[in-house]
Amino acid sequence: MMKAALFILSWQSSAAFSPTKSWVPSRKILSLDLSKRTATSTRTRRERAVSSTFLFAETTNTPESNSIADSSSSTTPQLAGNAEPTKQSTESSGKEHQSPTDTKIATEAAVFDFRDDRTVDQFERIDDSIMGGISTSSVKNVDGENYASWSGILRLDGGGFCGMRTLPFKSPLNATGYDGVYVKCRFVSDDEPQKRVWKVTMRTDSSRGEQVYQQQFELPSANANNMNDNDNEWTQIKIPFDSFILVRGARKVLDGPKLDSTQGVFQLGMTMSKFIIAENMTAMDDFRDGFFQMHIESMGLYRTEVDAIAEPTVETLTEQEAKKKRPLILKVLRPISKIFFSEQANRRKSAMKILMGKKKGRSRLGAILYGMRLRAKNNGFSGMIFSSIETFKIIGIDVIRTVLSTTLKFGLFYPLVFIRRGITTLIRGVKSFGQWVRSLFVRDDKDESAKMA
């Protein structure tokens, strides 16, 4: 069992993390749960688990806010923003670390245990390619290790986020008796996790649309031990149910209902984005794009009560079953949408933009020939023939896509917009004419009343 130690600390959200920079007071609260336990996996080596519970509450930005604060001072969840992890070193010596304000023991239920190789099959990617971006990520098993790797490359061209989420559940996950969602993970790709916006996502209905519950969290930087896998130091993120915010995309749904987990959970996931949760689309100023990698050991629910309770379990549909259960309209529109929003076409467009930019300075023909040479490289004459065929095929597909897109744009979209505007203008004209007619009758009535007087 893990013993909880509650430290409430604040730091300045605008300061970027650096090992050489000092830590400045800010308007965030970090609850740090530190413990040491023996691994229960098939591997017999010991591991240290560092648990970080991020509770977001507003505090006064004063020097005194660096001291231990009253945990009951605020419970209103706020955005994590650009805040950075508190630089707090606590030695895990095997002693009990007990909070002066809370002696409850957190209990976790690993709904998705990535020490089992089959768990990755229950997740799917949800990257910005769905909206025209070119970012890509994946969740994969790591040979010989008791965790999965979520990694990818985030590109700002046309999007700005990577994500993973569970496939649809066969039945809702029963969260009764639990207080929130936890993720046991560690960041391993670089020492600037604070230059990304990390979010846990959760859904309380069976829809798969853009409206979902989210909350942000912070990650400590990767150190040499994490990056070389010489030491199992894990971060345990805990997000209380009552801190989740209903969002549409990256925007808050104003006056959106609070998350209600009593009817069950229908989806869990994570997102790495350049967008902060806010009322309007708000991008992180010093966002770092490019490659990222996180190791994940488990994801599930946690509770603070120690009473006996059934551990939640859930089964997801397979990828093929999920496709069969899609609404008919999606089955029809999805293949059509791929004609106009092909991920491969978006990548080619982005590559063409780079090659024809100021740094490369190639013409369109020069960029096409450069691509042909790359495809034919190290394959001799046969490679050049194959590359030429492939290039003409790509050009043909792009020409067909452009013709269809232009036809629909001028033959359907623009006429519909014109008709809509025409109807709106007509309705306004009718209303104005009606008001003018009513004003004439009112004027005549006033004149008649004046004559009678």
Side-chain angles (χ1 to χ4, degrees):
M1 303 294 285
M2 296 191 295
K3 303 298 182 181
L6 180 65
F7 296 93
I8 302 182
L9 302 156
S10 49
W11 66 92
Q12 182 172 353
S13 60
S14 59
F17 172 77
S18 171
T20 60
K21 289 186 179 180
S22 60
W23 298 83
V24 189
S26 175
R27 302 179 60 193
K28 300 288 179 289
I29 286 182
L30 169 65
S31 170
L32 191 62
D33 179 355
L34 298 158
S35 65
K36 183 177 182 181
R37 70 174 180 83
T38 302
T40 57
S41 63
T42 54
R43 303 180 70 179
T44 59
R45 62 184 180 182
R46 294 174 62 83
E47 63 182 17
R48 291 196 303 272
V50 181
S51 303
S52 300
T53 304
F54 292 88
L55 305 176
F56 306 100
E58 186 169 329
T59 62
T60 305
N61 190 11
T62 63
E64 290 77 14
S65 62
N66 279 336
S67 62
I68 296 178
D70 182 1
S71 64
S72 62
S73 60
S74 175
T75 58
T76 306
Q78 298 291 335
L79 298 179
N82 297 346
E84 43 197 321
T86 301
K87 193 174 183 180
Q88 175 81 20
S89 61
T90 303
E91 183 179 356
S92 180
S93 60
K95 297 180 180 180
E96 293 185 359
H97 298 281
Q98 186 168 336
S99 165
T101 58
D102 190 356
T103 58
K104 293 180 179 179
I105 300 173
T107 303
E108 295 80 32
V111 181
F112 299 100
D113 191 341
F114 290 94
R115 291 174 293 186
D116 185 338
D117 289 348
R118 296 169 296 181
T119 302
V120 296
D121 297 330
Q122 297 177 291
F123 286 79
E124 64 179 356
R125 61 177 286 223
I126 180 75
D127 300 328
D128 58 20
S129 58
I130 61 174
M131 53 177 285
I134 57 172
S135 301
T136 183
S137 69
S138 62
V139 184
K140 297 180 179 179
N141 290 314
V142 181
D143 291 341
E145 301 294 347
N146 293 314
Y147 54 77
S149 172
W150 177 38
S151 62
I153 299 175
L154 191 146
R155 299 298 185 194
L156 301 180
D157 190 3
F161 68 89
C162 289
M164 53 172 280
R165 66 178 181 182
T166 54
L167 289 163
F169 296 163
K170 292 183 178 180
S171 59
L173 173 64
N174 185 2
T176 303
Y178 288 88
D179 301 315
V181 179
Y182 89 90
V183 182
K184 189 174 181 181
C185 59
R186 64 186 178 197
F187 188 67
V188 297
S189 56
D190 58 72
D191 62 353
E192 293 184 322
Q194 79 283 356
K195 290 190 176 182
R196 288 95 160 179
V197 183
W198 303 93
K199 307 171 188 177
V200 169
T201 64
M202 181 176 173
R203 198 181 295 278
T204 57
D205 58 47
S206 59
S207 70
R208 304 286 282 183
E210 61 176 345
Q211 194 161 290
V212 69
Y213 285 94
Q214 287 187 340
Q215 184 52 278
Q216 296 176 191
F217 65 91
E218 287 108 13
L219 284 171
S221 302
N223 55 40
N225 288 334
N226 286 348
M227 297 177 77
N228 296 325
D229 198 25
N230 293 325
D231 194 9
N232 281 338
E233 291 190 356
W234 295 94
T235 300
Q236 192 153 316
I237 308 299
K238 293 180 182 175
I239 311 290
F241 287 142
D242 58 10
S243 72
F244 278 86
I245 300 168
L246 186 64
V247 299
R248 181 180 288 109
R251 294 187 296 271
K252 284 185 183 180
V253 176
L254 298 180
D255 301 321
K258 281 281 189 181
L259 184 145
D260 180 10
S261 62
T262 59
Q263 301 302 312
V265 176
F266 288 77
Q267 177 188 306
L268 289 174
M270 281 196 294
T271 299
M272 191 270 279
S273 171
K274 72 173 182 179
F275 298 107
I276 299 167
I277 298 176
E279 292 184 7
N280 299 308
M281 292 294 285
T282 305
M284 176 180 279
D285 292 333
D286 57 347
F287 179 78
R288 173 172 173 168
D289 60 347
F291 178 74
F292 73 93
Q293 185 176 24
M294 174 193 290
H295 292 164
I296 310 174
E297 187 186 82
S298 62
M299 175 186 293
L301 306 178
Y302 78 90
R303 58 191 171 94
T304 54
E305 298 294 339
V306 295
D307 298 336
I309 188 172
E311 288 210 357
T313 58
V314 70
E315 286 187 71
T316 63
L317 300 175
T318 65
E319 190 173 349
Q320 294 300 322
E321 290 172 338
K323 288 180 179 178
K324 289 179 181 178
K325 290 197 70 173
R326 285 174 183 161
L328 179 60
I329 188 168
L330 282 182
K331 291 179 180 178
V332 174
L333 292 179
R334 195 174 182 87
I336 297 174
S337 67
K338 286 185 177 181
I339 297 175
F340 306 102
F341 304 105
S342 166
E343 190 171 349
Q344 291 78 9
N346 290 334
R347 294 185 188 284
R348 288 197 297 270
K349 189 184 299 182
S350 179
M352 185 68 73
K353 189 185 298 183
I354 293 171
L355 290 173
M356 295 176 63
K358 291 182 179 179
K359 290 185 179 180
K360 301 294 181 180
R362 299 178 187 272
S363 64
R364 181 173 292 275
L365 178 59
I368 293 173
L369 293 176
Y370 175 75
M372 290 179 63
R373 287 196 297 272
L374 282 182
R375 280 189 288 271
K377 192 175 181 180
N378 301 325
N379 288 308
F381 181 72
S382 61
M384 181 59 70
I385 294 175
F386 170 79
S387 177
S388 301
I389 294 172
E390 188 69 18
T391 299
F392 284 115
K393 184 175 75 172
I394 290 171
I395 292 173
I397 292 172
D398 286 347
V399 168
I400 293 172
R401 182 179 289 112
T402 301
V403 170
L404 287 175
S405 177
T406 304
T407 302
L408 285 177
K409 187 183 294 183
F410 288 96
L412 181 63
F413 179 72
Y414 285 164
L416 287 176
V417 171
F418 178 78
I419 292 171
R420 178 178 174 275
R421 289 179 179 175
I423 292 173
T424 302
T425 303
L426 180 61
I427 292 173
R428 288 176 181 172
V430 170
K431 287 182 178 178
S432 298
F433 179 75
Q435 291 174 354
W436 177 73
V437 171
R438 282 196 297 272
S439 67
L440 291 179
F441 282 109
V442 170
R443 189 183 306 167
D444 289 343
D445 291 341
K446 287 182 179 179
D447 293 342
E448 191 68 28
S449 299
K451 289 178 181 180
M452 292 177 65

